[in-house]
Short mmCIF file of all heavy atoms in Angstrom, two decimals:
data_model
loop_
_atom_site.label_atom_id
_atom_site.label_comp_id
_atom_site.label_asym_id
_atom_site.label_seq_id
_atom_site.Cartn_x
_atom_site.Cartn_y
_atom_site.Cartn_z
N PRO A 447 170.73 139.96 114.60
CA PRO A 447 170.25 140.66 115.79
C PRO A 447 168.79 140.32 116.06
O PRO A 447 168.13 139.68 115.25
CB PRO A 447 170.42 142.14 115.42
CG PRO A 447 171.48 142.14 114.37
CD PRO A 447 171.26 140.89 113.58
N LYS A 448 168.30 140.77 117.19
CA LYS A 448 166.97 140.39 117.65
C LYS A 448 165.86 140.73 116.65
O LYS A 448 164.97 139.93 116.41
CB LYS A 448 166.68 141.09 118.99
CG LYS A 448 165.39 140.64 119.66
CD LYS A 448 165.24 141.29 121.02
CE LYS A 448 163.96 140.82 121.71
NZ LYS A 448 163.80 141.46 123.04
N THR A 449 165.91 141.93 116.08
CA THR A 449 164.90 142.35 115.11
C THR A 449 165.58 143.08 113.95
O THR A 449 166.77 143.36 113.99
CB THR A 449 163.88 143.32 115.76
OG1 THR A 449 164.56 144.52 116.15
CG2 THR A 449 163.22 142.69 116.98
N LYS A 450 164.80 143.40 112.93
CA LYS A 450 165.36 144.12 111.79
C LYS A 450 165.87 145.49 112.20
O LYS A 450 166.88 145.97 111.68
CB LYS A 450 164.29 144.27 110.70
CG LYS A 450 163.94 142.97 110.00
CD LYS A 450 162.92 143.20 108.90
CE LYS A 450 162.61 141.89 108.18
NZ LYS A 450 161.59 142.08 107.10
N THR A 451 165.19 146.12 113.16
CA THR A 451 165.61 147.45 113.60
C THR A 451 166.83 147.38 114.51
O THR A 451 167.40 148.41 114.84
CB THR A 451 164.46 148.17 114.34
OG1 THR A 451 163.99 147.34 115.40
CG2 THR A 451 163.32 148.47 113.39
N SER A 452 167.22 146.17 114.91
CA SER A 452 168.41 146.03 115.75
C SER A 452 169.70 146.20 114.97
O SER A 452 170.76 146.39 115.57
CB SER A 452 168.40 144.66 116.45
OG SER A 452 167.31 144.56 117.35
N TYR A 453 169.64 146.10 113.63
CA TYR A 453 170.80 146.43 112.82
C TYR A 453 170.98 147.94 112.91
O TYR A 453 170.12 148.70 112.43
CB TYR A 453 170.57 146.03 111.36
CG TYR A 453 170.60 144.55 111.09
CD1 TYR A 453 169.43 143.80 111.12
CD2 TYR A 453 171.78 143.89 110.79
CE1 TYR A 453 169.44 142.43 110.86
CE2 TYR A 453 171.80 142.52 110.53
CZ TYR A 453 170.63 141.80 110.57
OH TYR A 453 170.65 140.45 110.32
N ARG A 454 172.07 148.40 113.52
CA ARG A 454 172.19 149.83 113.73
C ARG A 454 173.65 150.21 113.96
O ARG A 454 174.50 149.35 114.18
CB ARG A 454 171.34 150.29 114.92
CG ARG A 454 171.78 149.67 116.26
CD ARG A 454 170.67 149.79 117.29
NE ARG A 454 171.11 149.41 118.62
CZ ARG A 454 171.23 148.17 119.04
NH1 ARG A 454 170.97 147.16 118.24
NH2 ARG A 454 171.62 147.91 120.28
N ASP A 455 173.92 151.50 113.91
CA ASP A 455 175.25 152.05 114.16
C ASP A 455 175.14 152.96 115.39
O ASP A 455 174.37 153.93 115.37
CB ASP A 455 175.75 152.83 112.95
CG ASP A 455 175.76 151.98 111.69
OD1 ASP A 455 176.17 150.82 111.79
OD2 ASP A 455 175.36 152.48 110.62
N ILE A 456 175.90 152.64 116.44
CA ILE A 456 175.79 153.37 117.70
C ILE A 456 177.00 154.28 117.90
O ILE A 456 178.13 153.79 118.00
CB ILE A 456 175.70 152.41 118.90
CG1 ILE A 456 174.68 151.30 118.65
CG2 ILE A 456 175.36 153.18 120.17
CD1 ILE A 456 174.64 150.26 119.75
N PRO A 457 176.81 155.59 117.97
CA PRO A 457 177.92 156.50 118.30
C PRO A 457 178.41 156.22 119.72
O PRO A 457 177.60 156.03 120.63
CB PRO A 457 177.30 157.89 118.18
CG PRO A 457 176.05 157.70 117.39
CD PRO A 457 175.56 156.34 117.72
N VAL A 458 179.71 156.21 119.93
CA VAL A 458 180.28 155.94 121.25
C VAL A 458 180.64 157.27 121.90
O VAL A 458 181.31 158.11 121.28
CB VAL A 458 181.55 155.07 121.13
CG1 VAL A 458 182.17 154.83 122.51
CG2 VAL A 458 181.22 153.74 120.46
N PRO A 459 180.20 157.51 123.15
CA PRO A 459 180.58 158.74 123.85
C PRO A 459 182.10 158.90 123.85
O PRO A 459 182.84 157.92 123.97
CB PRO A 459 180.03 158.52 125.27
CG PRO A 459 178.86 157.59 125.07
CD PRO A 459 179.30 156.67 123.97
N SER A 460 182.57 160.13 123.73
CA SER A 460 184.00 160.39 123.54
C SER A 460 184.88 159.78 124.62
O SER A 460 185.99 159.32 124.34
CB SER A 460 184.25 161.90 123.45
OG SER A 460 183.84 162.54 124.64
N HIS A 461 184.41 159.75 125.88
CA HIS A 461 185.24 159.26 126.96
C HIS A 461 185.26 157.74 127.07
O HIS A 461 185.90 157.19 127.97
CB HIS A 461 184.80 159.89 128.29
CG HIS A 461 184.99 161.37 128.31
ND1 HIS A 461 183.94 162.25 128.20
CD2 HIS A 461 186.11 162.13 128.34
CE1 HIS A 461 184.40 163.50 128.20
NE2 HIS A 461 185.71 163.45 128.29
N LEU A 462 184.57 157.09 126.14
CA LEU A 462 184.61 155.62 126.11
C LEU A 462 185.27 155.12 124.83
O LEU A 462 185.38 153.90 124.63
CB LEU A 462 183.19 155.06 126.20
CG LEU A 462 182.44 155.30 127.53
CD1 LEU A 462 181.03 154.74 127.44
CD2 LEU A 462 183.18 154.66 128.69
N ARG A 463 185.74 156.03 124.00
CA ARG A 463 186.29 155.60 122.72
C ARG A 463 187.63 154.89 122.85
O ARG A 463 187.97 154.05 122.01
CB ARG A 463 186.39 156.81 121.78
CG ARG A 463 185.02 157.30 121.36
CD ARG A 463 185.05 158.52 120.47
NE ARG A 463 183.68 158.98 120.21
CZ ARG A 463 183.39 160.07 119.50
NH1 ARG A 463 184.37 160.81 118.98
NH2 ARG A 463 182.13 160.41 119.31
N GLU A 464 188.39 155.21 123.88
CA GLU A 464 189.65 154.50 124.10
C GLU A 464 189.39 153.03 124.40
O GLU A 464 190.15 152.15 123.99
CB GLU A 464 190.43 155.15 125.24
CG GLU A 464 191.04 156.50 124.89
CD GLU A 464 192.00 156.41 123.72
OE1 GLU A 464 192.79 155.43 123.66
OE2 GLU A 464 191.98 157.31 122.85
N ILE A 465 188.28 152.78 125.11
CA ILE A 465 187.89 151.40 125.40
C ILE A 465 187.52 150.67 124.12
O ILE A 465 187.93 149.53 123.88
CB ILE A 465 186.72 151.37 126.41
CG1 ILE A 465 187.23 151.77 127.79
CG2 ILE A 465 186.06 150.00 126.45
CD1 ILE A 465 186.15 151.85 128.84
N ALA A 466 186.72 151.34 123.28
CA ALA A 466 186.31 150.74 122.01
C ALA A 466 187.53 150.43 121.15
O ALA A 466 187.62 149.37 120.52
CB ALA A 466 185.34 151.67 121.28
N LYS A 467 188.48 151.36 121.12
CA LYS A 467 189.71 151.16 120.33
C LYS A 467 190.53 149.99 120.88
O LYS A 467 191.14 149.23 120.12
CB LYS A 467 190.54 152.44 120.33
CG LYS A 467 189.93 153.55 119.47
CD LYS A 467 190.53 154.91 119.79
CE LYS A 467 192.01 154.97 119.46
NZ LYS A 467 192.55 156.33 119.68
N GLU A 468 190.54 149.85 122.20
CA GLU A 468 191.27 148.74 122.81
C GLU A 468 190.64 147.40 122.42
O GLU A 468 191.34 146.43 122.12
CB GLU A 468 191.27 148.90 124.33
CG GLU A 468 192.16 147.90 125.06
CD GLU A 468 193.64 148.12 124.80
OE1 GLU A 468 194.02 149.22 124.33
OE2 GLU A 468 194.41 147.18 125.07
N PHE A 469 189.31 147.35 122.42
CA PHE A 469 188.62 146.14 122.01
C PHE A 469 188.91 145.81 120.54
O PHE A 469 188.94 144.65 120.13
CB PHE A 469 187.11 146.28 122.22
CG PHE A 469 186.65 145.86 123.58
CD1 PHE A 469 185.64 146.57 124.24
CD2 PHE A 469 187.21 144.77 124.23
CE1 PHE A 469 185.21 146.18 125.49
CE2 PHE A 469 186.78 144.39 125.49
CZ PHE A 469 185.78 145.09 126.12
N ARG A 470 189.10 146.85 119.74
CA ARG A 470 189.36 146.64 118.32
C ARG A 470 190.70 145.93 118.10
O ARG A 470 190.93 145.33 117.05
CB ARG A 470 189.35 147.98 117.58
CG ARG A 470 189.16 147.86 116.07
CD ARG A 470 189.03 149.23 115.42
NE ARG A 470 188.63 149.07 114.03
CZ ARG A 470 189.47 148.81 113.03
NH1 ARG A 470 190.76 148.66 113.29
NH2 ARG A 470 189.03 148.68 111.80
N LYS A 471 191.58 145.98 119.09
CA LYS A 471 192.89 145.33 118.97
C LYS A 471 192.83 143.83 119.26
O LYS A 471 193.82 143.13 119.12
CB LYS A 471 193.89 145.98 119.94
CG LYS A 471 194.13 147.46 119.69
CD LYS A 471 195.05 148.01 120.77
CE LYS A 471 195.25 149.51 120.62
NZ LYS A 471 196.10 150.05 121.72
N THR A 472 191.64 143.35 119.70
CA THR A 472 191.50 141.94 120.05
C THR A 472 191.92 141.05 118.89
O THR A 472 191.49 141.26 117.75
CB THR A 472 190.03 141.63 120.43
OG1 THR A 472 189.63 142.49 121.49
CG2 THR A 472 189.89 140.18 120.88
N THR A 473 192.72 140.04 119.18
CA THR A 473 193.21 139.14 118.12
C THR A 473 192.26 137.97 117.88
O THR A 473 192.35 137.30 116.85
CB THR A 473 194.59 138.58 118.48
OG1 THR A 473 194.53 137.92 119.76
CG2 THR A 473 195.62 139.71 118.55
N GLU A 474 191.37 137.71 118.83
CA GLU A 474 190.37 136.65 118.63
C GLU A 474 189.29 137.14 117.67
O GLU A 474 189.16 138.34 117.41
CB GLU A 474 189.74 136.26 119.97
CG GLU A 474 190.71 135.75 121.01
CD GLU A 474 191.18 134.35 120.70
OE1 GLU A 474 190.57 133.69 119.82
OE2 GLU A 474 192.17 133.91 121.32
N GLN A 475 188.47 136.20 117.16
CA GLN A 475 187.42 136.60 116.23
C GLN A 475 186.37 137.46 116.91
O GLN A 475 185.86 138.42 116.32
CB GLN A 475 186.74 135.36 115.62
CG GLN A 475 185.64 135.72 114.61
CD GLN A 475 185.04 134.50 113.96
OE1 GLN A 475 185.43 133.37 114.24
NE2 GLN A 475 184.07 134.72 113.08
N TYR A 476 186.05 137.13 118.17
CA TYR A 476 185.03 137.86 118.90
C TYR A 476 185.65 138.53 120.14
O TYR A 476 186.60 137.99 120.73
CB TYR A 476 183.90 136.93 119.34
CG TYR A 476 183.25 136.19 118.19
CD1 TYR A 476 183.51 134.84 117.98
CD2 TYR A 476 182.40 136.84 117.30
CE1 TYR A 476 182.95 134.15 116.92
CE2 TYR A 476 181.83 136.18 116.24
CZ TYR A 476 182.11 134.83 116.05
OH TYR A 476 181.55 134.16 114.99
N ILE A 477 185.08 139.67 120.53
CA ILE A 477 185.54 140.35 121.73
C ILE A 477 185.42 139.42 122.93
O ILE A 477 186.31 139.32 123.76
CB ILE A 477 184.70 141.63 121.98
CG1 ILE A 477 184.79 142.58 120.78
CG2 ILE A 477 185.14 142.32 123.26
CD1 ILE A 477 186.18 143.01 120.43
N TRP A 478 184.27 138.74 123.00
CA TRP A 478 184.04 137.74 124.04
C TRP A 478 184.10 136.36 123.39
O TRP A 478 183.28 136.04 122.53
CB TRP A 478 182.68 137.95 124.72
CG TRP A 478 182.78 138.95 125.83
CD1 TRP A 478 182.63 140.30 125.74
CD2 TRP A 478 183.10 138.66 127.19
NE1 TRP A 478 182.83 140.88 126.95
CE2 TRP A 478 183.12 139.91 127.87
CE3 TRP A 478 183.37 137.50 127.90
CZ2 TRP A 478 183.39 140.00 129.23
CZ3 TRP A 478 183.65 137.59 129.25
CH2 TRP A 478 183.65 138.83 129.91
N HIS A 479 185.06 135.57 123.78
CA HIS A 479 185.22 134.24 123.20
C HIS A 479 185.26 133.20 124.31
O HIS A 479 185.63 133.50 125.46
CB HIS A 479 186.51 134.16 122.38
CG HIS A 479 187.72 134.66 123.10
ND1 HIS A 479 188.44 133.87 123.97
CD2 HIS A 479 188.31 135.88 123.12
CE1 HIS A 479 189.44 134.58 124.48
NE2 HIS A 479 189.39 135.80 123.99
N GLY A 480 184.85 131.99 124.00
CA GLY A 480 184.86 130.92 124.99
C GLY A 480 186.27 130.39 125.21
O GLY A 480 187.19 130.69 124.45
#
Side-chain angles (χ1 to χ4, degrees):
K448 187 176 181 181
T449 64
K450 289 182 178 179
T451 54
S452 295
Y453 288 92
R454 63 198 189 280
D455 303 318
I456 313 175
V458 178
S460 61
H461 296 106
L462 294 177
R463 291 178 184 177
E464 288 300 319
I465 288 177
K467 288 164 64 176
E468 188 68 18
F469 272 142
R470 199 175 190 278
K471 299 176 184 177
T472 304
T473 56
E474 300 286 347
Q475 181 177 359
Y476 304 105
I477 302 302
W478 275 89
H479 50 83

